[in-house]
Amino acid sequence: MKTGVSYAELHCHSNFSLLDGASHPEDLVSQAADLGMPALALTDHDGLYGVIRFYKGCLKAGIKPVIGAEVTLENGNHLTLLAKNNQGYSNLCRLITRSHLEHRKGSPALDLDTLARHSASLICLSGCRQGELVAVLSSGQREQAQLAARRYIEIFGQGNFYLELQNNLYPEDRGLNRALVELAERLKLGYVATNNVHYARKERHKLHDVLTCIRNRTTLDECTCLRLNSEFHLKSCEEMALLFQDYPGAISNTLAIAEQCNVNLDFSGYRFPEFPLPRHETAAGYLARLCRQKIRERYASDLNGVSPEDCPERSPSIEARVDHELALIEKLGLSAYFLIVWDIMDYARRNGIPAQGRGSAANSIVAYILGITGVDPVRNKLFLGRFLNEEMSSMPDIDIDVSTNHREKLIQYVYEKYGQEHTAMVCTYVTFQARNAIREMGKATGLPAHLIDRMARSVSVYGANEVEQDLAGVEEFRPYFDAQNSAQPLWQEFGSLCREVYDFPRHLSIHNGGMLISSCPLTDIVPLEKATMPGRIVCQWDKDSVADAGLIKVDLLGLRMLSLIHEACARVDEKHPDAPGLDLDRLPLDDEKVYDMICGGDTVGVFQIESRAQMQTLPQIKPRSIDDLTIEVALIRPGPLQGNMVHPYIRRRKGLEKVTYLHPSLKLILEDTLGVLLFQEQVIQVAVAAAAFTPGQADCLRRAMSRKRSKEAMNEMRHKFVDGAGKHGIETTLADHIFSALQGFAEYGFCKSHAAGFALLCYRSAWLKKHHPAEFYCALLNNQPMGFYAPEVIMRDARRHGVDVLPADINSSGIRCTLEDGKVRLGFMYVKELGEKAMSRIAAERERAPYLSLADFYLRTRLERKAVENLILAGAFDSLCCQKRQLLWQLGLLEKKGPGELPLEFHHTRVFLPALTEIEEMKADYQVQGLSTKYHPLQVLRKGISGNGLLRSSDIARLLPDTPVRVAGYVITRQRPATAKGFAFITLEDEEGMVNVVIRPDVYRHYRQVFKLEPVIVVEGVLQRRDDILNVIARTLIPLRDTEARQNVVTEPLTVCPHQSTQPDLLCPDPGPGVK
Amino acid sequence: MSKLFREAITLEVQEDAQHKPVAFLYKGRRVVVADTLKRWRVAQEWWKNPVEREYFQVRIESGTVCELYRNLLTGAWYLQRIYD
């Protein structure tokens, strides 16, 4: 391959040139490596989004990374810029930042003056076909071209400006290159060859075409701006040499330029932001002083007013622990970081903003004392090593959960305190995954719309790369994907397009709330741009790039549950104005009635324990303390299930299995979890106790185990462990066994401090549900979407608990839900097509006088017709006692009246309209607000099916186990968790309650489309009862509307695979809320 | 002015090592290519009727300019246009 000639590509786009580049940065690097390219540049449009990934990839592959960007100028022209060194890199960041901040979002542009101000240490290439020089030369304006070139020479310097030659085998390329070379010779400029690369390998030109269609909102057949050919891939130096055989200097200059470009993207030196300190204080000193001041607040109350001096056994260990931790914090240089986080939390507390630190930070006693977390690490036996230790290989992040309603305020505070120059939000990408890939690839390739929709809703995998495989297995779609079907070549392409677009960034968003605070001005390191939210600035890196660049961030994550708790407490306080305010931080955690409710599985709306899987386990585990809740929260997750911890724990908890320990010395560590390894902290503690590892070494071990390092690395660790254990008197076989146990669980263990923080919220939300249900449900309905269930399910759960839910009403409702005599009144926000302005207008007008009639309402608010229609259908005018059809008719007449006119009535305009039937009314309800306060779908359909021997949920509860049953229900959750070995689960609901349905893999395969798409189904199967938990093991699933099939249900002899376990694992935890 | 053959005429072409046209047979006579003026590639409609061609705008010995293309999928040559 090596011929003595070499070539480096200097103009190259990754998929971070959104909807234009068709390869991941890593794929570009990999192809460059295959081609033996010594250096590669990344020049995405107006951004450095992918540079960290690119940089890392290049270093790993032994290719020299050249960092650059293709910038857009004010006249729309493109220019290629490359950074010579870190100063050039900073200038590039500043230029890109200016181009974004000074223009409308999505239309970055640079003017030449700004370019000139930050041009040092940059190499400029004159650009592609959209560059100024090419545009001007194409129309034969040689003088203009010379002037333009001279302008760039002035900005960048003679030696830093090169004319860019491209030969993608377009008709004009040859002529243009000749003109450019002439110009270069006249002005004594260098010229260099690039290939305007938009994808790594030639075949990707197809995806590139499709992305172009998406970008232009059109289809392949209709698109007018597809590229002429497929010549925009990374080419070998032989190919490039041939294309530029007339200008060999253009090829050698690629290396000459690459040689001048040397940028180092390790910014860990900038990572520690500064905290504005009081005079004469150091960060470490100030932090220590704060801790000493506040330690009594936290631990004095634990001692119930007894001062630490009177309780000597307790206090020395706490103070010693604090001192030890402060010393470690100082050693790691994190004192200022803790102060920054403390300051944010303190501001939150002072301003009534509900917030709590989450995750491993709760292992820190300093964090607890400063009020950053609410979990006492001493009482919860948490272990600092999980969060901080001497051998830290990566910096800790402190994440803060903030009430969603208050998050903005907190973010603003941070911006104002540290300044726009030093603060930016970290971005995140919405990527192409199975569903949106199907929709967008399908639309662009021109597949029929209804098919695209069905595929998108039927797909059961998450990653776009598995779409074809998944859908081809569904009978409905198989014929399309059949390779023999040559009449449909497009379908073949469709499948591979989905595969190729897997994980591509689709667009930028700032969903997650991470904030970068840096000690140097941010634009020295990373470009900034505008977020969609006005006034919000976001940096161009996501959290992984930020971490890889060595920077620290603080995550301010919106947690709706905090908003719920805050709102519910506020409403309770309103009701009891004379009582002291409800302060759930001080709530005792031992209310038996609350635990009774939890143990009964009555947990819709309760934080972390409301899912189907949780409801199945709560009656088995029967948590009766906050420690039990911590375990419950940690236990029912994919990790522990895969790691086979859940069932052993449950068996021991029920007394079915003896509690044993790997070794007596580990009893203290494992007794709370009945000898079962459950928490990541325990893995570390075991390594320390059994094998004398330091906390740092133990955490390294835990991390290495959880990432499945190489065999050699594991063996080395095993030796070390066994040696250390030997010194503790543990003999080799047992030590080996313990190590294997750790290895088996390390990957799946959950972080205890995280669970403990969540358990607190879990208890508080349960307490509210038990003792203040009206306020609880009102707040729950006001903070959707949240949790596992749709609002309609919440509404019905509320009713079952004696809290009625009333429809929105023009005279009683506000924008949000409110309480009326202990009932929840839905707010206008639940009605579709009602915007903020409309809702405010209703409320504002009403201040003057209540609404007396539809006409009164309409003429005073003058809302859009659709909005009023929806209000009518949602029942907002029900208090006027006029049936809906009549109101809709009236509305039509009113619309034609001008303001101030009197409505005239003519005889022929008075009509008698039949009232809406129940089904029509219910359908309208669902269309207009996603729920029906009047009807349950089964209630309405019941009459039609009462002859069919179908049972209700209340009947099921009275049957003996193993009874065959047929039950109809409305599907409120459907899941098929990856850990469930092919089993699927549905929760049905009818007028009276819920029924759990379990679907074996063979049954699922047969009825997959019914499972995925039908809202009301009939299940025929067998009742199973275990520990007071009822499940219907399904044999058939039939859509309710399919009356014939329903009436003639014949149990088909499905072949049951002999190896299939008939015992479904009911505890398979849920990855997330049920899909509708 | 040019004469575009709506149905390109199949051509027998003598190529060099890089598949560039050296000479071709037209109406029984061997025509030698003096100069390649333009060369470009087209790859279109891969989703229904793939068209992949390499076009050459050449000047023949007599001075006339014409446009040939090679179908990249089959290797066959065609005469597309003659310029007057």
Side-chain angles (χ1 to χ4, degrees):
Chain A
M1 195 169 22
K2 298 270 180 217
T3 57
V5 186
S6 199
Y7 169 78
E9 181 58 60
L10 297 177
H11 185 140
C12 177
H13 293 274
S14 74
N15 53 10
F16 283 100
S17 288
L18 297 177
L19 296 181
D20 191 18
S23 291
H24 290 290
E26 291 80 4
D27 291 338
L28 292 166
V29 173
S30 151
Q31 173 70 344
D34 286 348
L35 294 172
M37 216 177 260
L40 177 65
L42 185 64
T43 55
D44 282 320
H45 290 299
D46 305 297
L48 298 179
Y49 309 96
V51 291
I52 298 289
R53 278 170 63 167
F54 172 75
Y55 183 77
K56 265 178 65 186
C58 281
L59 292 184
K60 224 164 91 188
I63 295 181
K64 180 180 203 186
V66 175
I67 309 295
E70 184 171 25
V71 297
T72 311
L73 300 179
E74 263 179 350
N75 41 26
N77 291 322
H78 287 183
L79 209 58
T80 316
L81 299 178
L82 305 171
K84 283 167 87 165
N85 51 38
N86 277 43
Q87 187 203 13
Y89 175 81
S90 294
N91 272 334
L92 192 55
C93 293
R94 290 183 197 118
L95 285 172
I96 296 176
T97 303
R98 290 265 71 77
S99 80
H100 281 278
L101 295 186
E102 281 165 16
H103 293 84
R104 211 166 31 95
K105 179 170 168 70
S107 314
L110 265 184
D111 64 275
L112 293 181
D113 288 326
T114 313
L115 195 57
R117 258 179 293 147
H118 302 283
S119 59
S121 302
L122 286 173
I123 288 185
C124 173
L125 310 182
S126 59
C128 58
R129 263 163 226 95
Q130 252 181 285
E132 182 174 3
L133 289 187
V134 168
V136 150
L137 283 174
S138 315
S139 48
Q141 303 172 63
R142 302 223 327 237
E143 283 309 308
Q144 288 285 71
Q146 203 161 315
L147 280 169
R150 286 228 162 85
R151 234 181 295 127
Y152 292 122
I153 294 174
E154 223 184 277
I155 294 176
F156 294 101
Q158 182 93 10
N160 292 323
F161 178 61
Y162 288 76
L163 296 193
E164 196 171 340
L165 308 181
Q166 292 182 345
N167 186 2
N168 300 99
L169 295 175
Y170 268 43
E172 323 77 51
D173 280 347
R174 188 180 271 214
L176 277 172
N177 287 337
R178 208 183 349 253
L180 283 166
V181 169
E182 247 177 52
L183 181 60
E185 283 166 355
R186 216 174 324 132
L187 296 179
K188 304 214 188 338
L189 289 172
Y191 49 78
V192 67
T194 73
N195 204 37
N196 201 2
V197 171
H198 280 71
Y199 35 88
R201 280 158 242 263
K202 197 188 232 276
E203 312 78 69
R204 278 290 170 97
H205 77 99
K206 297 180 185 176
L207 179 59
H208 176 66
D209 278 349
V210 170
L211 292 173
T212 304
C213 291
I214 297 176
R215 194 171 75 244
N216 289 285
R217 295 180 223 270
T218 179
T219 64
L220 285 170
D221 281 330
E222 320 234 306
C223 188
T224 52
C225 41
L226 295 179
R227 291 196 193 263
L228 188 64
N229 59 33
S230 53
E231 300 297 318
F232 295 84
H233 56 281
L234 277 173
K235 292 188 176 172
S236 68
C237 71
E238 286 80 22
E239 283 177 270
M240 292 304 287
L242 212 53
L243 289 166
F244 287 91
Q245 57 189 5
D246 292 338
Y247 312 111
I251 302 288
S252 53
N253 269 342
T254 66
L255 301 168
I257 293 177
E259 220 170 306
Q260 297 178 57
C261 296
N262 300 286
V263 173
N264 177 348
L265 293 188
D266 174 13
F267 295 110
S268 45
Y270 293 111
R271 70 159 63 120
F272 303 113
E274 278 155 20
F275 183 74
L277 293 163
R279 284 179 51 170
H280 308 305
E281 294 253 33
T282 62
Y286 188 51
L287 186 65
R289 189 152 67 80
L290 278 175
C291 286
R292 274 195 298 276
Q293 278 172 5
K294 292 178 178 302
I295 189 172
R296 258 150 246 267
E297 284 169 29
R298 278 305 203 187
Y299 286 100
S301 61
D302 272 25
L303 299 168
N304 291 318
V306 177
S307 73
E309 287 85 38
D310 298 330
C311 195
E313 316 88 51
R314 189 91 186 253
S315 62
S317 75
I318 292 181
E319 304 224 315
R321 196 160 160 166
V322 173
D323 286 337
H324 168 253
E325 202 174 299
L326 284 171
L328 184 57
I329 291 173
E330 183 174 358
K331 187 161 181 198
L332 295 171
L334 292 172
S335 308
Y337 181 65
F338 269 79
L339 286 171
I340 288 176
V341 180
W342 162 74
D343 178 68
I344 294 174
M345 291 299 294
D346 194 53
Y347 173 83
R349 193 184 47 81
R350 287 197 317 268
N351 288 273
I353 297 178
Q356 71 174 34
R358 73 144 63 182
S360 58
N363 284 293
S364 155
I365 198 171
V366 167
Y368 179 61
I369 290 173
L370 293 179
I372 294 175
T373 65
V375 174
D376 182 344
V378 173
R379 205 196 141 281
N380 284 284
K381 300 192 203 159
L382 296 176
F383 187 63
L384 178 67
R386 172 64 184 78
F387 179 60
L388 286 180
N389 56 63
E390 303 252 346
E391 286 92 336
M392 304 236 43
S393 51
S394 65
M395 283 297 118
D397 270 341
I398 298 186
D399 297 345
I400 297 177
D401 284 323
V402 189
S403 151
T404 31
N405 296 339
H406 300 87
R407 188 167 147 254
E408 258 324 293
K409 206 161 164 212
L410 208 52
I411 292 177
Q412 268 313 115
Y413 171 71
V414 177
Y415 264 114
E416 278 161 18
K417 178 151 186 144
Y418 297 98
Q420 299 269 359
E421 292 267 292
H422 297 260
T423 325
M425 304 292 286
V426 172
C427 81
T428 188
Y429 298 101
V430 175
T431 55
F432 278 99
Q433 297 303 340
R435 273 206 226 143
N436 59 346
I438 290 174
R439 290 196 191 275
E440 302 224 61
M441 299 293 118
K443 188 150 162 235
T445 50
L447 295 183
H450 75 279
L451 264 182
I452 297 176
D453 186 55
R454 278 192 75 83
M455 285 196 291
R457 294 196 295 136
S458 307
V459 75
S460 66
V461 289
Y462 182 67
N465 54 340
E466 299 175 78
V467 161
E468 185 174 10
Q469 210 180 341
D470 184 62
L471 291 177
V474 177
E475 238 184 271
E476 186 183 340
F477 308 122
R478 195 173 300 132
Y480 297 104
F481 288 101
D482 195 347
Q484 318 285 30
N485 200 347
S486 58
Q488 311 270 22
L490 197 50
W491 284 86
Q492 259 42 265
E493 301 289 2
F494 171 73
S496 52
L497 285 168
C498 287
R499 195 172 28 250
E500 289 173 352
V501 88
Y502 170 57
D503 232 19
F504 265 47
R506 173 73 178 77
H507 56 257
L508 223 73
S509 98
I510 46 164
H511 180 64
N512 65 4
M515 296 192 76
L516 251 188
I517 309 174
S518 78
S519 47
C520 65
L522 272 175
T523 48
D524 283 356
I525 308 180
V526 58
L528 307 175
E529 57 178 79
K530 289 179 180 166
T532 355
M533 183 174 284
R536 194 43 53 81
I537 309 286
V538 63
C539 78
Q540 290 187 339
W541 289 344
D542 69 359
K543 63 177 169 70
D544 292 325
S545 290
V546 163
D548 285 337
L551 301 167
I552 297 192
K553 60 177 174 43
V554 177
D555 273 311
L556 298 174
L557 306 161
L559 194 61
R560 287 213 163 84
M561 182 47 67
L562 286 172
S563 303
L564 183 155
I565 293 176
H566 180 90
E567 182 181 328
C569 290
R571 287 189 189 279
V572 172
D573 288 343
E574 259 169 41
K575 224 168 79 173
H576 310 280
D578 300 323
L582 207 50
D583 182 4
L584 293 192
D585 283 340
R586 302 209 184 283
L587 189 69
L589 305 169
D590 54 9
D591 188 326
E592 289 300 323
K593 295 212 190 83
V594 175
Y595 289 112
D596 287 340
M597 182 183 86
I598 290 176
C599 292
D602 178 11
T603 52
V604 169
V606 178
F607 192 58
Q608 296 290 303
I609 56 171
E610 60 172 347
S611 70
R612 182 204 54 82
Q614 286 283 359
M615 284 187 181
Q616 301 253 328
T617 12
L618 288 167
Q620 297 185 64
I621 292 187
K622 299 213 210 310
R624 301 229 55 114
S625 68
I626 196 76
D627 293 323
D628 288 343
L629 279 181
T630 303
I631 293 177
E632 178 84 31
V633 164
L635 195 65
I636 310 304
R637 290 178 186 264
L641 215 99
Q642 265 179 289
N644 197 25
M645 292 112 117
V646 179
H647 291 286
Y649 179 82
I650 293 183
R651 284 198 298 273
R652 291 181 183 201
R653 178 94 179 168
K654 285 175 160 172
L656 298 174
E657 191 178 288
K658 201 165 150 220
V659 174
T660 57
Y661 298 98
L662 293 165
H663 184 269
S665 66
L666 306 177
K667 179 161 184 283
L668 260 164
I669 302 171
L670 298 175
E671 63 185 345
D672 287 342
T673 51
L674 308 181
V676 176
L677 271 171
L678 191 57
F679 297 120
Q680 292 171 352
E681 287 86 347
Q682 288 171 324
V683 173
I684 301 176
Q685 287 168 309
V686 166
V688 168
F693 274 41
T694 66
Q697 293 169 329
D699 192 40
C700 275
L701 174 66
R702 177 194 70 79
R703 254 185 287 133
M705 281 175 164
S706 71
R707 283 177 201 180
K708 292 200 175 86
R709 287 291 165 76
S710 68
K711 272 199 161 181
E712 303 85 52
M714 272 298 113
N715 278 336
E716 228 189 277
M717 299 213 164
R718 187 182 281 268
H719 281 307
K720 202 160 167 240
F721 186 88
V722 170
D723 278 343
K727 297 197 187 89
H728 273 204
I730 301 180
E731 48 100 14
T732 320
T733 352
L734 183 58
D736 221 23
H737 179 66
I738 297 178
F739 187 87
S740 299
L742 286 181
Q743 221 178 348
F745 294 144
E747 189 180 341
Y748 303 114
F750 198 71
C751 178
K752 184 174 185 186
S753 51
H754 189 114
F758 274 3
L760 283 176
L761 294 178
C762 168
Y763 180 83
R764 289 173 194 160
S765 62
W767 186 88
L768 282 168
K769 179 173 176 170
K770 181 75 197 163
H771 293 290
H772 300 280
E775 290 81 1
F776 174 77
Y777 285 107
C778 185
L780 188 50
L781 286 169
N782 270 334
N783 284 287
Q784 295 294 308
M786 165 169 58
F788 197 74
Y789 299 103
E792 55 171 329
V793 178
I794 294 168
M795 177 185 71
R796 294 191 281 262
D797 193 63
R799 289 209 173 118
R800 288 194 284 269
H801 287 77
V803 177
D804 201 6
V805 176
L806 306 170
D809 181 274
I810 46 163
N811 279 319
S812 317
S813 286
I815 295 177
R816 293 162 66 77
C817 306
T818 47
L819 284 176
E820 254 178 53
D821 294 323
K823 306 191 175 98
V824 176
R825 167 72 71 186
L826 284 183
F828 292 123
M829 67 187 204
Y830 268 90
V831 181
K832 291 198 185 141
E833 304 280 337
L834 222 51
E836 286 274 348
K837 274 198 257 174
M839 296 193 280
S840 310
R841 196 145 68 226
I842 299 178
E845 252 307 310
R846 195 171 64 205
E847 296 278 310
R848 298 206 285 125
Y851 299 111
L852 301 171
S853 67
L854 174 63
D856 185 33
F857 176 86
Y858 181 70
L859 295 172
R860 280 165 63 189
T861 61
R862 281 285 161 187
L863 293 189
E864 295 283 322
R865 177 172 182 155
K866 193 84 182 77
V868 186
E869 264 180 26
N870 285 2
L871 281 168
I872 292 174
L873 292 172
F877 289 88
D878 282 356
S879 52
L880 298 178
C881 297
C882 183
Q883 61 106 339
K884 290 175 183 171
R885 272 222 177 90
Q886 201 74 41
L887 287 170
L888 288 171
W889 177 261
Q890 272 183 45
L891 178 63
L893 295 175
L894 282 170
E895 229 204 346
K896 306 207 188 298
K897 305 277 183 278
E901 279 184 33
L902 294 171
L904 292 173
E905 291 217 15
F906 295 99
H907 273 290
H908 66 262
T909 63
R910 191 187 283 269
V911 290
F912 292 99
L913 300 163
L916 291 168
T917 63
E918 282 186 346
I919 290 197
E920 289 172 326
E921 207 175 356
M922 181 187 75
K923 266 176 141 175
D925 264 337
Y926 272 92
Q927 244 172 326
V928 147
Q929 53 186 350
L931 52 79
S932 175
T933 53
K934 254 170 134 173
Y935 305 106
H936 187 286
L938 255 301
Q939 171 196 355
V940 162
L941 300 168
R942 182 65 67 187
K943 294 192 204 84
I945 60 173
S946 55
N948 294 24
L950 290 168
L951 299 167
R952 299 178 184 232
S953 56
S954 46
D955 302 326
I956 301 235
R958 286 183 256 122
L959 294 173
L960 293 171
D962 300 322
T963 317
V965 293
R966 286 177 71 225
V967 60
Y970 177 68
V971 179
I972 58 171
T973 74
R974 26 169 100 79
Q975 294 169 286
R976 192 161 170 259
T979 46
K981 304 188 185 86
F983 279 82
F985 307 92
I986 276 183
T987 311
L988 293 178
E989 196 197 46
D990 66 10
E991 311 91 305
E992 272 135 45
M994 304 200 215
V995 177
N996 293 309
V997 179
V998 176
I999 303 158
R1000 289 191 327 255
D1002 53 332
V1003 177
Y1004 173 81
R1005 268 195 299 275
H1006 201 93
Y1007 293 102
R1008 175 184 155 157
Q1009 295 295 77
V1010 176
F1011 171 87
K1012 283 213 147 269
L1013 301 172
E1014 295 295 332
V1016 186
I1017 60 177
V1018 172
V1019 174
E1020 189 254 331
V1022 169
L1023 186 64
Q1024 182 202 68
R1025 179 191 290 268
R1026 277 207 254 143
D1027 283 306
D1028 294 333
I1029 303 167
L1030 292 171
N1031 283 293
V1032 174
I1033 313 296
R1035 271 206 289 254
T1036 67
L1037 303 176
I1038 296 172
L1040 189 69
R1041 54 187 175 76
D1042 195 346
T1043 45
E1044 270 206 36
R1046 227 175 52 220
Q1047 272 147 7
N1048 306 324
V1049 167
V1050 173
T1051 324
E1052 293 151 10
L1054 294 165
T1055 44
V1056 179
C1057 172
H1059 302 296
Q1060 212 63 260
S1061 154
T1062 45
Q1063 292 288 52
D1065 192 338
L1066 302 170
L1067 304 180
C1068 286
D1070 354 77
V1075 173
K1076 291 224 46 99
Chain B
M1 276 280 87
S2 73
K3 178 178 179 176
L4 171 68
F5 295 101
R6 213 164 323 149
E7 273 225 30
I9 301 177
T10 332
L11 219 54
E12 234 184 86
V13 171
Q14 181 188 348
E15 303 172 4
D16 69 6
Q18 290 154 32
H19 298 289
K20 294 223 280 263
V22 167
F24 57 92
L25 219 52
Y26 184 60
K27 292 193 172 159
R29 261 190 325 187
R30 181 169 184 271
V31 179
V32 172
V33 168
D35 209 359
T36 305
L37 302 171
K38 283 192 187 171
R39 176 185 168 215
W40 67 99
R41 270 203 198 165
V42 163
Q44 310 260 281
E45 302 214 345
W46 47 268
W47 61 95
K48 27 186 200 200
N49 245 325
V51 169
E52 275 187 55
R53 301 174 183 167
E54 185 149 352
Y55 280 82
F56 295 87
Q57 192 187 74
V58 299
R59 191 192 350 260
I60 59 177
E61 262 174 344
S62 66
T64 317
V65 174
C66 37
E67 207 171 274
L68 318 171
Y69 71 81
R70 182 166 75 92
N71 182 328
L72 293 172
L73 297 170
T74 62
W77 285 89
Y78 298 85
L79 175 62
Q80 178 87 71
R81 195 194 299 258
I82 298 181
Y83 294 83
D84 309 316

